[in-house]
Amino acid sequence: FMHACGLDFGTTNSTFSYPKQGSIELVNLEGQQQTLPSAVFYNFDDGDIYYGRAALNEYADGEFGRLMRSLKSVLGTKLMDDTTQIKGKSVSFVEIIAGFLTEMKNRAEKQSGLSFEQVVMGRPVYFVDDNKTADQKAQNALESAAKMAGFKDIEFQYEPIAAALDYEQSVTGEELAIIVDLGGGTSDFSVVRVSQTGAQKVDRKDDILSTGGVHIGGVDFDRRLSLKSVM
């Protein structure tokens, strides 16, 4: 029996959830941690691939290999059509992202004892600013990676809308909610009408009054601070 799940592949951290007994269960993806840092380390000595905090620790310990972070940031860029060298092999960025999603799926299935083939994935309002073609290409690349990871039925939800739907569970009357999602690679904003009756509706298009976003996030501030000040 196949179960539905939610997967947030983030620039900095990623999470995985599924419905359980009328509520949403966040999976412990690394030890007791519900977040998995979106990082991959290819160890050239032992040939293993490490994910999350383990990947960052391998790099910090000075192991011989290659660390890759902020993989989501390449979606919608020219890099998606390129390959990169990993221990003499040419690997596409879609394959690298697919490997990370596969690891998340495997850990979630092991933790929950369930099999997941239906997934709702979060996405920023804009992967790419002011370029609908590149934006759609970015979503298509993420969908391809999800299919490579073993997901068969894939849907997407704007991340700030997902946040609004979560907030809606706690309201008692009708409200206009401004949702601000400051991420590692993108910052998204939405104005959504939320209410107890609205939560029962399947189609929420009329309640989404405005959405917007920019391709700037915490990673950009870290990088610029490092280059312009620390370094």
Side-chain angles (χ1 to χ4, degrees):
F1 185 73
M2 302 305 169
H3 295 263
C5 62
L7 192 158
D8 181 11
F9 173 55
T11 304
T12 310
N13 293 291
S14 296
T15 55
F16 196 107
S17 65
Y18 66 97
K20 181 180 180 181
Q21 297 174 350
S23 63
I24 301 298
E25 179 86 1
L26 274 168
V27 176
N28 290 336
L29 291 172
E30 192 170 19
Q32 297 301 308
Q33 300 290 335
Q34 295 174 334
T35 58
L36 182 68
S38 303
V40 184
F41 184 81
Y42 298 89
N43 189 306
F44 293 169
D45 286 331
D46 62 22
D48 287 343
I49 304 174
Y50 296 83
Y51 299 92
R53 293 168 186 81
L56 299 175
N57 290 338
E58 287 286 302
Y59 179 76
D61 289 343
E63 297 293 338
F64 179 51
R66 183 170 180 191
L67 175 73
M68 304 189 78
R69 283 215 72 172
S70 305
L71 292 169
K72 188 177 180 180
S73 295
V74 305
L75 292 170
T77 70
K78 294 178 180 179
L79 284 174
M80 287 307 300
D81 298 322
D82 294 337
T83 59
T84 186
Q85 293 291 315
I86 298 176
K87 205 175 182 182
K89 283 184 60 179
S90 292
V91 183
S92 72
F93 284 100
V94 173
E95 290 177 292
I96 294 169
I97 292 173
F100 186 83
L101 298 181
T102 300
E103 183 68 17
M104 289 185 67
K105 183 173 183 290
N106 290 342
R107 292 187 185 192
E109 290 180 339
K110 183 178 180 180
Q111 181 83 9
S112 65
L114 304 175
S115 178
F116 299 108
E117 289 191 359
Q118 298 174 309
V119 63
V120 177
M121 300 190 73
R123 59 149 293 169
V125 175
Y126 301 113
F127 282 106
V128 184
D129 296 340
D130 302 320
N131 189 329
K132 287 186 178 181
T133 302
D135 186 79
Q136 185 60 49
K137 190 175 180 181
Q139 179 176 299
N140 293 345
L142 185 55
E143 184 174 1
S144 296
K147 287 180 178 177
M148 292 170 67
F151 294 109
K152 294 181 179 179
D153 185 5
I154 304 161
E155 299 289 343
F156 289 92
Q157 176 61 277
Y158 287 143
E159 289 157 0
I161 302 304
L165 295 175
D166 179 64
Y167 171 69
E168 188 173 53
Q169 306 302 311
S170 65
V171 303
T172 55
E174 183 176 296
E175 297 180 10
L176 282 182
I178 298 177
I179 308 297
V180 180
D181 178 4
L182 301 180
T186 55
S187 296
D188 294 321
F189 312 88
S190 62
V191 179
V192 185
R193 183 187 295 109
V194 295
S195 64
Q196 289 180 322
T197 55
Q200 309 304 316
K201 295 192 295 184
V202 175
D203 188 349
R204 303 303 303 276
K205 288 180 182 177
D206 291 340
D207 293 327
I208 301 170
L209 306 183
S210 182
T211 59
V214 289
H215 201 262
I216 298 173
V219 171
D220 300 288
F221 287 99
D222 289 347
R223 178 172 54 83
R224 292 176 189 180
L225 176 66
S226 180
L227 289 172
K228 293 181 180 293
S229 183
V230 178
M231 298 173 71

